[in-house]
Amino acid sequence: MKIGIIGGTGGMGKGFALRWCKKHDILIGSRDAQRASDAAKEYSDVAREAFGNIGGAISGADNLSVAKQSDVLVLAIPYENIDSVCPELLANVRDSCIVISPIVPMVKTDTGFEFIPLKEGKQFAHQMVQKYMKNKQKLVSAFHVISEKKLVDPKFVLDYDIFVCGDEKESVDVVNSLILEIEGLRPIFLGPGALAYQAEIATPLLLNAMIKNKLKNPGIKIL
């Protein structure tokens, strides 16, 4: 598959690129095409050093070009950028494109990390992204509770569960298969997109537990 990553020059984008390039072509997206191209070259060098030959290629382009080409599109963008980024991009994806939202609506306050929809009465991320989808059934929420610092180390074996929410079984199955391709990860299906807030709210919970208890880049595992 061609997996596009919007916001691909950030830490999450790098981590996904390194983990999935062994089997898939990765398209790094950025508002600056040159920045995306430079990042793609860096990721390619890191991947070859870690794995030797890789089955896919890593390339970079502007966000719109990446959106148009992708079979799967990951939105590695901040919550506050959804309304500015998604209308144009999601209007131009293929009808068959599966969109993954790892977006978390949270803010850091004096109390700790808080969930914006609860604090400010706003929509959760899945709802906001879904408004702009050509095929609303193709939106899947996943990857909210994963350590970026551990994800970007291609040789680090993760040991986490990943909550998944989506309305179409076929799309959920594709995302589940991508989760399983990352050694040590296990998909846990929570239900339809209407329940995606339950996956999103797990991130501020995890971060607060990490800070208050001096944990180092924790994840969630259901036993």
Side-chain angles (χ1 to χ4, degrees):
M1 293 186 295
K2 289 184 178 179
I3 302 176
I5 306 172
I6 303 301
T9 58
M12 289 290 285
K14 180 178 181 179
F16 288 135
L18 294 177
R19 300 287 180 157
W20 286 329
C21 69
K22 289 185 284 185
K23 293 185 178 180
H24 307 283
D25 291 331
I26 308 299
L27 311 175
I28 300 300
S30 173
R31 287 173 294 182
D32 183 337
Q34 185 59 53
R35 186 181 178 197
S37 181
D38 291 344
K41 183 180 184 307
E42 175 199 336
Y43 302 169
S44 296
D45 291 343
V46 173
R48 290 193 179 94
E49 183 178 345
F51 309 123
N53 292 327
I54 56 176
I58 306 177
S59 60
D62 64 275
N63 283 332
L64 183 57
S65 297
V66 167
K68 289 178 177 179
Q69 297 177 60
S70 298
D71 300 311
V72 173
L73 190 68
V74 182
L75 299 175
I77 62 173
Y79 173 75
E80 58 269 21
N81 290 358
I82 291 175
D83 285 334
S84 61
V85 171
C86 288
E88 180 184 26
L89 298 189
L90 297 186
N92 284 281
V93 299
R94 299 171 179 175
D95 291 342
S96 59
C97 181
I98 297 168
V99 176
I100 300 176
S101 171
I103 303 169
V104 178
M106 66 180 181
V107 62
K108 193 174 189 306
T109 68
D110 293 338
T111 303
F113 285 95
E114 297 189 62
F115 192 57
I116 290 175
L118 286 180
K119 181 177 176 60
E120 302 179 14
K122 295 182 179 180
Q123 290 182 311
F124 55 96
H126 188 101
Q127 287 177 310
M128 291 184 67
V129 174
Q130 195 171 46
K131 292 187 302 184
Y132 303 113
M133 292 285 297
K134 290 177 69 174
N135 183 345
K136 299 186 188 309
Q137 300 296 307
K138 294 289 184 182
L139 177 62
V140 179
S141 284
F143 296 107
H144 305 92
V145 289
I146 190 166
S147 167
E148 178 181 308
K149 291 184 178 179
K150 292 180 178 178
L151 187 68
V152 298
D153 180 351
K155 293 187 176 181
F156 189 92
V157 178
L158 300 163
D159 186 24
Y160 300 150
D161 288 333
I162 301 297
F163 297 132
V164 180
C165 295
D167 297 321
E168 182 190 71
K169 184 179 184 303
E170 177 186 342
S171 297
V172 169
D173 286 346
V174 170
V175 174
N176 285 348
S177 70
L178 289 173
I179 292 170
L180 290 169
E181 285 181 20
I182 301 177
E183 186 177 358
L185 296 188
R186 180 179 66 165
I188 298 292
F189 184 60
L190 294 185
L195 296 181
Y197 69 92
Q198 294 182 358
E200 295 174 13
I201 202 171
T203 301
L205 179 154
L206 186 63
L207 289 174
N208 288 327
M210 178 184 73
I211 292 169
K212 300 300 183 183
N213 297 276
K214 297 181 171 58
L215 305 173
K216 188 175 182 180
N217 302 316
I220 289 178
K221 186 80 172 178
I222 297 177
L223 303 175

